[in-house]
Amino acid sequence: GAVVSQHPSWVICKSGTSVKIECRSLDFQATTMFWYRQFPKQSLMLMATSNEGSKATYEQGVEKDKFLINHASLTLSTLTVTSAHPEDSSFYICSSRDQGQNSPLHFGNGTRLTVT
Amino acid sequence: AQSVTQLDSHVSVSEGTPVLLRCNYSSSYSPSLFWYVQHPNKGLQLLLKYTSAATLVKGINGFEAEFKKSETSFHLTKPSAHMSDAAEYFCVVRNPNQAGTALIFGKGTTLSVSS
């Protein structure tokens, strides 16, 4: 079945550094990729929607210069947390749909980011 | 606008007893509704989905949910809890008529199962 591979699964970084998270669709074309963030004991919140070959659409309150999203190919989307701070520590997860708006979404396994 | 409310942040049951996780939604059209489960340190897994077909939806691992339009509810149930059911469960809504629409998640319900 369709799989989304997300890497890394966890990362610890120092404040001020940047971290890149990758999501790859392994056997389907991910025209659209959704990026979510989950703070402890809270729901998953949509951060942005990336479309292959175009600029990502960010949700209100999400800084596009801080959370850089690149979706240069149909199988790879990346989220870069720039100049990370401890408040960026969270669980980040991507998801994409195989094809067609009624096909199921496939989620990556998520990335646990801890900024020290 | 769409929204989803999970009425309980935490539910505790004993193994072998029924499970009920409550979810109410708000939508101006007929939504697609989902239940996802997230086990610790793992990704989200789809349990079941409702997409305007049968109102009683059967999912994996013995879970099912009933879409009740009059009550705007989509509660998740299981007749007999298993220890492996302990996880966090999310009720999710999506506009099926809008291509590329993301999911809107409820705040989640943590299910604890005791022996």
Side-chain angles (χ1 to χ4, degrees):
Chain A
V3 174
V4 173
S5 174
Q6 185 170 346
H7 178 81
S9 56
W10 61 270
V11 58
I12 301 173
C13 71
K14 292 188 176 181
S15 188
T17 61
S18 295
V19 174
K20 180 185 284 188
I21 301 170
E22 293 187 349
C23 272
R24 295 180 184 272
S25 56
L26 296 186
D27 56 0
F28 68 97
Q29 293 185 333
T31 307
T32 303
M33 188 75 78
F34 303 102
W35 287 94
Y36 296 86
R37 177 172 55 185
Q38 182 184 26
F39 291 107
K41 299 186 178 182
Q42 295 189 27
S43 179
L44 282 155
M45 297 296 294
L46 179 66
M47 297 176 65
T49 303
S50 72
N51 295 293
E52 185 267 336
S54 62
K55 290 183 179 180
T57 301
Y58 290 81
E59 295 300 301
Q60 190 174 7
V62 178
E63 299 175 60
K64 62 180 181 181
D65 295 329
K66 181 172 184 60
F67 299 99
L68 300 178
I69 291 175
N70 184 285
H71 194 162
S73 78
L74 286 171
T75 59
L76 174 64
S77 177
T78 62
L79 167 67
T80 302
V81 183
T82 63
S83 187
H85 288 93
E87 57 265 31
D88 298 324
S89 299
S90 186
F91 183 73
Y92 295 85
I93 194 166
C94 62
S95 73
S96 185
R97 185 171 290 113
D98 193 337
Q99 59 180 352
Q101 61 183 6
N102 289 321
S103 61
L105 276 171
H106 303 285
F107 287 84
N109 279 339
T111 298
R112 172 73 60 192
L113 171 63
T114 302
V115 184
T116 60
Chain B
Q2 305 170 87
S3 67
V4 61
T5 303
Q6 290 182 244
L7 300 166
D8 307 293
S9 59
H10 198 157
V11 171
S12 296
V13 300
S14 299
E15 192 174 22
T17 63
V19 175
L20 170 64
L21 304 183
R22 298 183 294 165
C23 173
N24 286 99
Y25 69 92
S26 174
S27 179
S28 54
Y29 35 72
S30 295
S32 292
L33 292 160
F34 309 79
W35 275 97
Y36 282 87
V37 60
Q38 185 177 18
H39 287 94
N41 301 316
K42 291 191 176 181
L44 286 161
Q45 180 183 21
L46 178 65
L47 276 179
L48 50 81
K49 65 177 180 180
Y50 166 78
T51 55
S52 75
T55 56
L56 181 62
V57 181
K58 294 188 183 298
I60 62 172
N61 301 335
F63 284 95
E64 61 181 39
E66 186 172 7
F67 174 72
K68 292 186 176 180
K69 188 175 181 179
S70 60
E71 299 177 8
T72 60
S73 69
F74 190 58
H75 301 335
L76 181 70
T77 60
K78 182 173 180 177
S80 176
H82 193 273
M83 295 295 286
S84 61
D85 295 327
E88 189 164 18
Y89 292 79
F90 292 95
C91 182
V92 182
V93 65
R94 181 173 73 91
N95 177 0
N97 300 317
Q98 191 171 352
T101 305
L103 303 176
I104 297 173
F105 286 77
K107 289 185 180 294
T109 298
T110 300
L111 176 65
S112 299
V113 182
S114 58
S115 57

